Amino acid sequence: MVLAQLLVSVYKNEGFNMISNIMRIVEMPMLLFQKHFGVRNVAWLFLAPNLILFGVFALLPLLLNIAYSFTGGGEILLGDRTYIGTENFSVLLQCESYLDPQSCTEDLFWRAVYNTLKFVLFQVVIMVGFALTTALILNKKIIARGFFRSVFFFPVLLSPVVVALIWKWILQRNGLLNAGLDYMGFEKVLWLLEGDLAFAWSVFVSVWMHMGFYTLIILAGLQAIPKDVYEAARMDSASPFRMFHRITLPLLMPTMMVVFLLAVIKGVQTFDEVYALTGGGPGTTTTFIIQYIYETGFAGSPRLLGLAAAVSLLLALALVVLTAAQSLAKKRAT
Amino acid sequence: MSLKKVPLLRMVTGLLAFLLLPVSAVTVELKYMCYDTIECAAFKQLMPQFNAKYPDIKVQIDIVPYKAVRETLPVQLAAGTGPDIAAVTDPGGLSRYYLDLSPYIDVHYWQASFGDVLDWYRDKSVYGNGRFNQGVTDIGIYALQTQLTLTGAYINKTLFEQADVAIPAIGSSWSEWAKAAKTVAKKTNTYSPMALDRSGHRLMGPIISSGAKVFDGNSVALVDQGFKTFVEQFVGWFEDGSMAREVWAVGGATYKDAKREFVNGEVVLYFSGSWQVKPFDAAIRGAFDWQVIGSPCGIGGCSGMPGGNGLVGFKQTKHPAAVAKFIDFFAQENIYQQLLSLTHNIPAHKAVADEGVDYVGLSAVAAKALGSWTAEVDKISPIAFKLQGYKYNRALFDIVAKRVTQAVVGELTVQQAMQRSKADLNKALKNMN
């Protein structure tokens, strides 16, 4: 009956009537729900779509990951796998000296851990430093400011694999850079085949790719600082360095904390661009934790899904601790 | 019957006929996962002959990247999904999913035609299951070896001529070839004397030729003096610049070849395999002369590693008889001959090999190269043959490639790489058994 009325109202193009009729259609099941489950429980009904999505795509994989980390064997389906307790974790943590990966049972894991730590240290410090400098420059009234803001943000829009392939064309033995060196009479350099060089280029490419995003955040933070504070400082004859040190940096600190937190998390998760650029080599020089997980669980033979799941869990734990520590630091800073 | 009812009756009859007709015309639809573009094209070209014989079987050939066969297919099969038929390169690894074709085919014909190669695909064969003859013998027939490949080397003959260096005789050792290639590269200012594909499969041929036994009775020993001898020599070639660093100085389990470098005349000796003949023929054309030298020799012989594609059906298929018909059709001598003439590979079919394949559209150089590869088949070491059928060979190949790379780039000494390879293999076997 209600549906018929609605159709009639649509047919007659009676806008107001149509809305009220739709409301009546919605109202009926809502009233029924309230009657059966109570008014307070209506909130769950509204939360349900989100909770279902979260449950299926976040919580369930997390629980499966935990379950897999306690299993061993070559089977793929969880039900077919053997429960082995904490063996995967003990294998991962078995080392004579944690400072020497070669002394660990799972040496490739520890090499990946150290490579990741080294990468995050270099990448985050260099990237945040450059992003801050760029944001400070772009915050000034310079010529073609809009253009430069776009230029710095552009690499962020590119796919990591595209970025890696572009740089690979530049850096490979017969690439653009070596062609330039050759033209100028210099020897060709194997940029991606020597450990230290490959690592340095991985950091550079990653910084080049992500810097624009952090520049944008810092720029927003800079623009949120009230102008009158600077005017007051100028009236007190404060030098530009003193203004930066005493006004800009302290007021920018909450933004910088967010930037550091995001950069560290993103740095730890680095995989695609470096994998496409170097394949994790030469050897294991640019193999990071995510690549280790991917190769252990999926690309290699046998598929050590349990071991890969255990590493994922340890990584998640490390990121939670890191996030908590930075949140604490942020609270103190503000 | 009223006049109105007549057209209605006709309509209903017509509709029923329309609905039932396709059912009788095409009763079975199969999916075939194919990755080798040359082979897939050849199958497509021969499909009309199959359709003429079996009009009720429709086969959809899905061309996928090799990565899909290697990484996605095992997951699909474990989940009970996946195609009905696929071309696989890991004969033992997926053996538990293979459909036994023997109830549907002429077993005697298959055994006479493909012989020992059939054993590579058996799950519980003498060495196929990794547990080494526990009294269970599988005599099922699971795959059609659509091509037999063999690893070995090519040389750029023109560079030898330009350098005025005599080409070492067939049967020369690795050291003799390395020395000659180095001299040629130096005299002709060529980028690299030698290159070897980054793959454990490629490395195992020279390792076996150097005297490695790989198997020790009922278990896999992997590391022995022969293994160590070749790996030490191999790592040394990178240190003295005899081997192309960019092929091996990569990470993970990434496969890398030096096809481009060889085609560009940047490598004197390139160790790869018989499957490169067609691409070389197409890419090099007459730019320089090249020839197959097979596998350089050592105390263990002059063996390459056999390999190739196997066309298999899977147990979970709803149409096992149709799958068997499809595979059996391409196993017939005249069809197999046509297939090989299009794919330009070494035949695994004995009668076809004896008769010789009339390769279509191949230059005289390439035809000669394929002839050389066919002659190399007799030199395959029994160890190499056994290793190709070993169920866990993929794990072994990946481990060898990874650890030897670490020795090449200086992260590990050869000794450490050997120890790690052995430990990794034990861990892998523990997880797979």
Side-chain angles (χ1 to χ4, degrees), chain A residues 259-276:
Chain A
V259 164
F260 264 108
L261 179 68
L262 290 176
V264 168
I265 292 173
K266 192 93 183 148
V268 172
Q269 293 173 334
T270 299
F271 170 57
D272 29 18
E273 69 259 30
V274 177
Y275 185 68

Side-chain angles (χ1 to χ4, degrees), chain B residues 135-384:
Chain B
V136 186
T137 309
D138 182 358
I139 52 158
I141 293 175
Y142 301 94
L144 166 64
Q145 191 73 23
T146 54
Q147 50 177 273
L148 186 67
T149 60
L150 192 61
T151 63
Y154 298 84
I155 54 161
N156 183 326
K157 214 171 147 189
T158 302
L159 287 176
F160 273 89
E161 285 161 9
Q162 284 172 354
D164 199 20
V165 172
I167 297 171
I170 299 297
S172 300
S173 69
W174 266 105
S175 307
E176 287 164 327
W177 278 109
K179 195 179 163 191
K182 209 172 169 187
T183 312
V184 171
K186 200 174 174 186
K187 284 189 173 176
T188 54
N189 200 23
T190 305
Y191 165 63
S192 181
M194 296 192 288
L196 188 145
D197 289 346
R198 186 181 184 252
S199 144
H201 180 260
R202 236 60 90 235
L203 207 55
M204 285 312 289
I207 286 173
I208 291 166
S209 298
S210 298
K213 297 278 179 267
V214 187
F215 299 96
D216 177 18
N218 287 346
S219 63
V220 178
L222 184 62
V223 178
D224 59 12
Q225 193 50 45
F227 192 106
K228 202 178 160 201
T229 303
F230 184 77
V231 175
E232 270 174 352
Q233 197 175 24
F234 185 64
V235 172
W237 285 330
F238 285 94
E239 284 163 4
D240 70 12
S242 299
M243 214 24 111
R245 189 176 166 82
E246 63 189 277
V247 184
W248 277 77
V250 290
T254 321
Y255 166 77
K256 202 160 183 221
D257 64 30
K259 188 165 71 187
R260 195 176 59 180
E261 285 77 6
F262 186 75
V263 166
N264 289 337
E266 293 180 315
V267 170
V268 180
L269 184 152
Y270 173 37
F271 193 95
S272 184
S274 57
W275 57 92
Q276 301 286 16
V277 169
K278 191 167 182 172
F280 282 175
D281 192 33
I284 298 171
R285 292 172 185 265
F288 60 84
D289 293 335
W290 54 279
Q291 76 171 64
V292 173
I293 60 155
S295 279
C297 302
I299 58 164
C302 319
S303 178
M305 272 298 294
N309 275 351
L311 191 66
V312 295
F314 297 110
K315 278 177 193 165
Q316 95 261 353
T317 182
K318 287 173 185 156
H319 313 288
V323 166
K325 275 179 189 168
F326 178 76
I327 298 174
D328 190 44
F329 177 81
F330 286 94
Q332 299 312 304
E333 193 178 328
N334 65 327
I335 304 293
Y336 193 89
Q337 168 81 253
Q338 290 179 55
L339 184 72
L340 268 284
S341 72
L342 294 170
T343 59
H344 302 169
N345 279 303
I346 307 169
H349 191 296
K350 279 176 189 162
V352 175
D354 291 344
E355 202 180 301
V357 181
D358 184 15
Y359 295 110
V360 176
L362 209 60
S363 71
V365 180
K368 192 182 165 196
L370 277 172
S372 304
W373 282 120
T374 309
E376 286 286 310
V377 172
D378 293 337
K379 296 181 191 170
I380 299 173
S381 149
I383 301 169

Side-chain angles (χ1 to χ4, degrees), chain A residues 101 179 222 246:
Chain A
L222 284 172
R246 294 286 183 183

